[in-house]
């Protein structure tokens, strides 16, 4: 449904995208995971025909982003990273405006947004600028869906949104996917990555890895330990000095330590005890996508 | 068509929902028109004069009285010291010094030529020139009267000039200025509304969403232009009503002609605004650019200084100034009653530039970076 092949894009000296390639199958919920500045927004702007790539090719449903830009603009639903609806128009007016611009009506496609819009209904006379962050995103999603797009492109839709709204938002995306909609979504949140069918880990304009979230986690090449102790910060500092460590980073109120495969629990415990760490609890765990990402980023 | 209409509708909603916008659009221009029309008076009055009288005769006193009684001059002091007078000029208390020499009346009575000196503070050249003119008139009149009184025969043949001011017989400066100021108001509103508009969508990011829609460039530009055209026409109508009924400016020409030309002119100015808006990336940039053109266009429009008194290069430059054409047309049609045949040149220039600038705006509005 979406193909990206060897896309390059530079802004002056900075190379934002370096020969980026990936494919999204029809009906997939595809995640682009990466930190700020990885090139995600640049890629979205190329796919939505707002920006021309220096080289490489990209198609949406067989339509070339360069040649068929007019057709693409009719069939793509886009939610930019920054809230881009009219703050001084009401919820209803925004929706109506975008429906009309796409030569359709809210009534005609209401079934597409029914679930989402239901939550907005009580505020339909309110100005978009007066909505909460989560509500704004729901409105933006409604506006992106109102013309029945075949592909949905969402650039960091949950940044700046509270955890509950984030969860709701992803439930909506899952529902839309069940309706057969192809969705490409970018996010800096690694927990959201696990909700995608397939993810591409992006950094510095390059793709580090592409796979299902499960396979990515399984392919973790090291042994992973979760270590709990009295002082998380102190433990982390001490573990960074550990000879057999691959990486160590804080993960909530515990430390995740990746080590060589021959390391065992006893070795870590005695090392920590020697350094004077108290109340140590060590557990071998399965790697999550975040561990893989941290490992790849090194 | 529906797409254009929904943009028009959106623009109107946005303009009128902005609480500051209503007074800006409808109260500010009215105030400007009234205040500026009363203040932009080119007649010079209240000229402070010092009379340095070395003659102390009844004749010199009678001349002094004549000047003091004139509506243009304020007699500050009569004295006989040039130093004192000069000091007062330095202190900005006196604009003009008139020196009546000794033997002034003696010479007059004996029919000899006598000289009076006038010194004017020429920091403000226009004012100095006009003061000298007034003073010369008073003195000339005075000398004629004196000559008649004394019965001295002077052998100077004279040409008497008869003058009549057509189209504005009372030389009412308001008839001249009010239509011109109306032009300014309409121009300012139109240029700034349109100049700030698209760039605002860029600033708040809505353009990003809009550019991914199938809106065509011309639909976008027309949809943006129409609401401002309507506002501009309403603005013009309000101003015209004030000009006709408050300032009693005569209207000799054809209403349809002036409205037709105003529409054409507004399309040109709005196109300019759109163009500014498409080439800038922040409202600040757009504001400075709009002001830059505005100041040049206003000062070189012939509204405040006649174009004929500008150097040749500047006169040529005014041919590119849309305000100049509109000022001329509105004065010609309102005061002189000119018909379409008299303003064909103006119509064709403004129509041509309107088409050109709007095409430019459409080209420079890019949906792709």
């Amino acid at each position: 449904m979406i193909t990206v092949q060897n896309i390059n894009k530079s802004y002056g000296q900075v190379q934002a995208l370096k020969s980026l390639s990936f494919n999204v199958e029809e009906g997939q919920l595809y995640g682009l995971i990466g930190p700020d500045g990885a090139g995600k927004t640049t890629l979205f702007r190329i796919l939505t025909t707002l920006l021309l790539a220096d080289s490489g090719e990209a198609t949406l449903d067989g339509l070339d982003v360069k040649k068929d830009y007019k057709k693409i603009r009719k069939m793509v639903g886009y939610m930019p990273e920054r809230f881009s609806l009219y703050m001084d128009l009401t919820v209803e007016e925004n929706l109506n405006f975008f429906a009309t611009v796409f030569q359709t009506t809210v009534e005609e496609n209401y079934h597409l947004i029914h679930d989402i819009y239901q939550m907005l209904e009580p505020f339909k006379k309110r100005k978009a600028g007066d909505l909460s962050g989560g509500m704004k995103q729901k409105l933006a999603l409604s506006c992106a869906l109102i013309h029945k797009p075949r592909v949905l492109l969402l650039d960091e839709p949950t940044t700046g949104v509270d955890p509950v709204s984030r969860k709701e938002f992803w439930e909506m995306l899952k529902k839309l996917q069940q309706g057969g909609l192809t969705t490409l979504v970018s996010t800096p949140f690694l927990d959201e990555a696990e909700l995608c069918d397939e993810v591409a880990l992006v950094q510095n304009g390059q793709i580090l890895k592409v796979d299902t979230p499960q396979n990515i986690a399984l392919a973790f090449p090291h042994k992973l330990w979760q270590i709990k102790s009295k002082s998380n910060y102190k433990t982390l500092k001490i573990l960074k000095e550990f000879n057999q460590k691959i990486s160590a980073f804080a993960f909530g109120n515990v430390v995740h330590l990746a080590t060589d495969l021959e390391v065992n629990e006893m070795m870590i415990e005695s090392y920590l005890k020697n350094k004077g760490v108290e109340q140590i609890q060590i557990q071998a765990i399965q790697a999550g996508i975040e561990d893989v990402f941290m490992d790849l980023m090194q | 068509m529906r797409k254009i209409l929904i943009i028009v509708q959106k623009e109107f909603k946005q303009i009128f929902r902005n609480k500051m916008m209503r007074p800006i659009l409808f109260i500010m221009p009215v105030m400007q028109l009234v205040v500026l029309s009363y203040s932009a008076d080119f007649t010079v009055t209240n000229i402070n004069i010092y009379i340095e009288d070395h003659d102390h005769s009844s004749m010199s006193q009678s001349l002094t009285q004549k000047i003091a009684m004139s509506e243009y001059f304020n007699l500050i002091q009569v004295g006989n010291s040039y130093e004192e007078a000069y000091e007062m000029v330095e202190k900005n208390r006196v604009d003009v010094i008139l020196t009546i020499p000794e033997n002034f009346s003696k010479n007059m009575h004996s029919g000899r030529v006598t000289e009076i000196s006038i010194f004017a503070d020429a920091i403000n050249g226009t004012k100095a020139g006009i003061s000298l003119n007034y003073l010369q008139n008073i003195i000339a009149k005075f000398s004629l009267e004196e000559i008649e009184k004394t019965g001295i025969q002077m052998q100077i043949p004279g040409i008497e000039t008869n003058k009549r001011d057509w189209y504005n017989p009372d030389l009412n400066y308001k008839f001249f200025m009010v239509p011109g100021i109306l032009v300014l108001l309409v121009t300012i509103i139109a240029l700034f509304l349109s100049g700030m508009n698209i760039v605002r969508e860029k600033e708040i990011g809505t353009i990003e969403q809009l550019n991914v829609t199938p809106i065509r460039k011309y639909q976008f530009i027309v949809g943006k232009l129409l609401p401002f055209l309507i506002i501009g026409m309403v603005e013009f109508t309000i101003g015209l009503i004030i000009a006709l009924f408050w300032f009693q400016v005569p209207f000799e020409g054809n209403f349809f002609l002036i409205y037709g030309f105003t529409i054409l002119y507004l399309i040109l100015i709005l196109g300019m605004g759109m163009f500014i808006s498409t080439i800038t990336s922040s409202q600040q940039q757009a504001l400075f650019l709009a002001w830059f053109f505005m100041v040049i266009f206003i000062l070189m429009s012939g509204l405040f200084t006649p174009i004929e008194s500008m150097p040749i290069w500047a006169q040529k430059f005014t041919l590119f100034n849309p305000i100049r054409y509109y000022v001329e047309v509105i004065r010609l049609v309102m005061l002189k009653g000119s018909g379409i045949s008299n303003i064909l040149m103006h119509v064709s220039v403004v129509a041509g530039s309107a088409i050109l600038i709007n095409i430019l705006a459409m080209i420079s509005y890019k949906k792709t970076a």
Side-chain angles (χ1 to χ4, degrees):
Chain A
M1 194 66 174
I2 305 174
T3 63
V4 175
Q5 261 171 28
N6 300 319
I7 289 277
N8 280 293
K9 177 72 194 175
S10 302
Y11 299 105
Q13 294 286 315
V14 184
Q15 213 181 342
L17 297 177
K18 298 167 195 160
S19 301
L20 207 79
S21 303
F22 65 91
N23 281 304
V24 180
E25 302 297 326
E26 178 146 14
Q28 259 190 333
L29 177 56
Y30 197 99
L32 276 179
I33 320 294
D36 291 346
K40 301 189 299 280
T41 298
T42 303
L43 181 67
F44 272 100
R45 301 197 72 220
I46 289 170
L47 289 178
T48 51
T49 73
L50 291 175
L51 198 67
L52 292 176
D54 298 337
S55 65
E57 288 191 11
T59 61
L60 277 81
D61 199 13
L63 299 168
D64 187 88
V65 289
K66 214 164 164 182
K67 276 182 286 181
D68 306 314
Y69 68 94
K70 278 186 185 157
K71 285 182 190 156
I72 286 184
R73 283 175 189 168
K74 281 186 192 148
M75 57 79 89
V76 69
Y78 174 45
M79 235 178 103
E81 185 179 1
R82 201 166 140 209
F83 184 69
S84 300
L85 301 180
Y86 294 99
M87 302 274 197
D88 40 8
L89 295 188
T90 64
V91 168
E92 220 176 5
E93 285 164 348
N94 265 302
L95 196 61
N96 206 2
F97 177 77
F98 284 99
T100 310
V101 158
F102 280 103
Q103 280 170 312
T104 176
T105 56
V106 177
E107 292 75 40
E108 199 181 318
N109 288 324
Y110 187 74
H111 61 280
L112 290 172
I113 57 162
H114 175 261
D115 291 341
I116 309 162
Y117 196 66
Q118 238 178 2
M119 292 182 256
L120 283 163
E121 202 98 50
F123 311 108
K124 66 180 183 186
K125 300 277 178 209
R126 197 181 282 188
K127 282 184 193 163
D130 297 336
L131 293 174
S132 68
M135 283 294 172
K136 272 187 188 145
Q137 293 313 85
K138 280 170 201 148
L139 175 59
L141 186 60
S142 303
C143 288
L145 286 170
I146 196 62
H147 61 287
K148 205 178 177 189
R150 275 179 285 159
V151 177
L152 194 58
L153 299 174
L154 311 171
D155 191 6
E156 296 201 11
T158 54
T159 302
V161 174
D162 68 88
V164 177
S165 298
R166 257 175 67 190
K167 199 164 160 273
E168 277 177 5
F169 196 87
W170 274 90
E171 278 162 14
M172 283 181 238
L173 293 187
K174 277 280 174 199
K175 235 180 202 169
L176 287 169
Q177 191 202 2
Q178 282 159 20
L181 189 63
T182 310
T183 306
L184 178 66
V185 56
S186 76
T187 177
F189 299 116
L190 293 154
D191 55 332
E192 290 180 349
E194 319 210 346
L195 302 169
C196 300
D197 297 327
E198 198 166 348
V199 294
L201 301 183
V202 195
Q203 198 200 8
N204 293 329
Q206 283 172 307
I207 289 188
L208 304 176
K209 211 173 181 82
V210 177
D211 213 330
T212 63
Q214 293 75 23
N215 284 344
I216 283 183
L218 283 176
F220 191 68
H222 317 293
K223 233 176 180 172
L224 192 70
W225 307 90
Q226 175 183 296
I227 299 161
K228 217 171 165 181
S229 62
K230 199 177 173 191
S231 161
N232 209 27
Y233 174 71
K234 193 177 150 201
T235 311
L236 181 62
K237 241 173 98 181
I238 291 167
L239 280 172
K240 287 207 163 156
E241 310 282 305
F242 186 48
N243 274 334
Q244 286 106 319
K245 78 126 216 227
I246 307 280
S247 71
F249 63 94
F251 196 102
N253 60 349
V254 296
V255 174
H256 276 196
L257 174 72
T259 61
D260 298 336
L261 294 174
E262 66 270 18
V263 174
N264 62 38
E265 207 177 314
M266 293 300 292
M267 290 161 76
I268 304 168
E269 196 172 351
S270 64
Y271 170 76
L272 285 175
K273 269 190 175 152
N274 264 334
K275 296 278 179 181
V277 178
E278 293 166 55
Q279 297 172 21
I280 309 163
Q281 288 178 38
I282 301 174
Q283 201 184 344
I285 53 162
Q286 261 305 323
I289 200 155
E290 189 161 356
D291 302 300
V292 179
F293 197 76
M294 295 305 268
D295 183 57
L296 288 169
M297 288 220 320
Q298 281 193 336
Chain B
M1 200 56 207
R2 266 186 68 218
K3 285 191 214 168
I4 294 178
L5 278 181
I6 194 90
I7 299 176
V8 172
Q9 196 187 5
K10 169 192 91 85
E11 292 301 327
F12 269 122
K13 275 182 187 155
Q14 287 185 306
I15 292 168
F16 290 107
R17 250 171 226 177
N18 188 336
K19 283 204 185 75
M20 261 316 274
M21 224 43 203
R22 270 166 285 179
I24 285 176
L25 285 180
F26 298 108
I27 297 180
M28 222 170 66
V30 171
M31 275 173 58
Q32 267 179 310
L33 183 61
V34 173
V35 171
L36 284 179
S37 297
Y38 275 115
S39 60
D41 186 344
F42 290 141
T43 34
V44 177
T45 51
N46 295 320
I47 305 159
N48 295 327
I49 189 164
Y50 181 101
I51 297 181
E52 191 189 337
D53 187 357
H54 293 286
D55 194 44
H56 306 292
S57 63
S58 63
M59 196 184 272
S60 70
Q61 267 161 28
S62 140
L63 176 60
T64 304
Q65 223 165 44
K66 274 239 150 61
I67 292 167
M69 270 161 58
S70 120
E71 55 180 316
Y72 303 116
F73 291 96
N74 297 331
L75 182 59
I76 298 297
Q77 198 170 331
V78 181
N80 51 15
S81 151
Y82 179 75
E83 280 70 38
E84 183 187 45
Y86 187 77
E87 208 183 304
M88 285 173 91
V89 171
E90 294 253 280
K91 285 184 180 154
N92 226 355
R93 287 173 55 201
V94 162
D95 303 310
V96 180
I97 307 169
L98 177 79
T99 310
I100 303 171
E102 262 176 285
N103 305 325
F104 169 67
S105 61
K106 218 187 206 168
N107 286 343
M108 281 287 278
H109 282 296
S110 56
R112 263 175 292 177
V113 174
T114 181
E115 276 178 358
I116 288 179
S117 335
I118 306 169
F119 303 95
D121 177 357
I123 295 270
N124 181 341
T126 321
K127 191 175 176 185
I130 292 170
S131 318
L132 288 182
N133 249 326
Y134 288 158
L135 213 48
Q136 271 166 357
N137 277 337
I138 294 173
I139 293 164
K141 222 168 150 193
F142 173 80
S143 78
L144 268 177
E145 280 169 16
E146 288 300 317
I147 288 162
E148 268 169 29
K149 245 192 261 173
T150 49
I152 306 161
Q153 289 297 310
M154 301 280 281
Q155 299 296 323
I156 306 165
I159 298 170
E160 208 172 311
T161 42
N162 259 323
K163 71 173 187 130
R164 186 169 299 159
D165 297 302
W166 279 10
Y167 309 120
N168 186 2
D170 303 325
L171 279 181
N172 185 332
Y173 79 92
K174 284 198 186 77
F175 292 177
F176 185 66
M177 287 309 291
V178 173
I181 291 166
L182 183 56
V183 167
L184 284 196
L185 296 185
V186 172
T187 312
I188 290 173
I189 293 277
L191 186 67
F192 281 73
L193 268 184
S194 56
M196 298 299 120
N197 188 279
I198 296 175
V199 73
R200 182 161 171 267
E201 295 223 20
K202 283 189 207 169
E203 253 184 20
I204 57 179
T206 48
I207 200 95
E208 182 98 356
Q209 192 87 63
L210 215 52
N211 283 346
V212 189
T213 67
I215 292 183
R216 307 284 293 274
K217 282 183 179 187
Y218 82 90
Q219 293 170 328
F220 184 72
I221 297 284
V222 173
K224 290 270 179 190
L225 214 127
L226 264 178
F228 304 135
L229 183 64
I230 294 167
I231 289 173
M233 293 311 287
V234 171
E235 202 81 46
F236 175 73
T237 307
I238 295 174
L240 197 62
I241 289 170
I242 294 176
L244 297 183
F245 295 102
W246 182 271
F247 291 107
Q248 306 273 321
V249 178
F251 197 101
E252 303 292 339
N254 183 321
F255 270 100
F256 290 107
L257 186 56
I258 204 76
Y259 268 88
F261 190 85
T262 304
I263 291 176
L264 216 54
Y265 175 78
L266 276 174
I267 293 174
L268 166 59
I269 295 296
L270 293 171
M272 257 178 76
M274 294 288 164
F275 182 62
I276 288 174
S277 215
T278 53
I279 59 171
T280 49
S281 53
S282 73
Q283 291 189 70
Q284 194 185 34
Q285 289 174 8
L287 193 73
F288 275 107
L289 210 58
W291 260 117
F292 172 78
F293 285 113
M294 204 66 191
V295 169
I296 291 181
F297 284 168
I298 290 176
L299 291 180
M300 294 188 79
S301 64
L303 182 60
F304 296 110
T305 41
I307 289 168
E308 292 75 18
S309 61
M310 292 176 191
I312 298 295
W313 64 264
Q315 289 191 25
K316 293 236 166 77
F317 188 78
T318 63
L319 294 175
F320 299 99
N321 184 351
I323 299 185
R324 173 212 156 128
Y325 292 99
Y326 193 31
V327 167
E328 277 179 13
V329 165
I330 202 167
R331 281 175 179 166
L332 282 173
V333 175
M334 279 183 81
L335 304 180
K336 210 170 165 181
S338 299
I340 180 96
S341 54
N342 303 97
I343 58 166
L344 260 183
M345 189 267 279
H346 300 79
V347 172
S348 41
V349 170
V350 169
S353 339
I355 293 170
L356 197 74
I357 194 83
N358 278 291
I359 289 175
L360 265 178
M362 261 178 239
I363 292 172
S364 66
Y365 165 54
K366 288 201 179 64
K367 289 180 82 170
T368 306

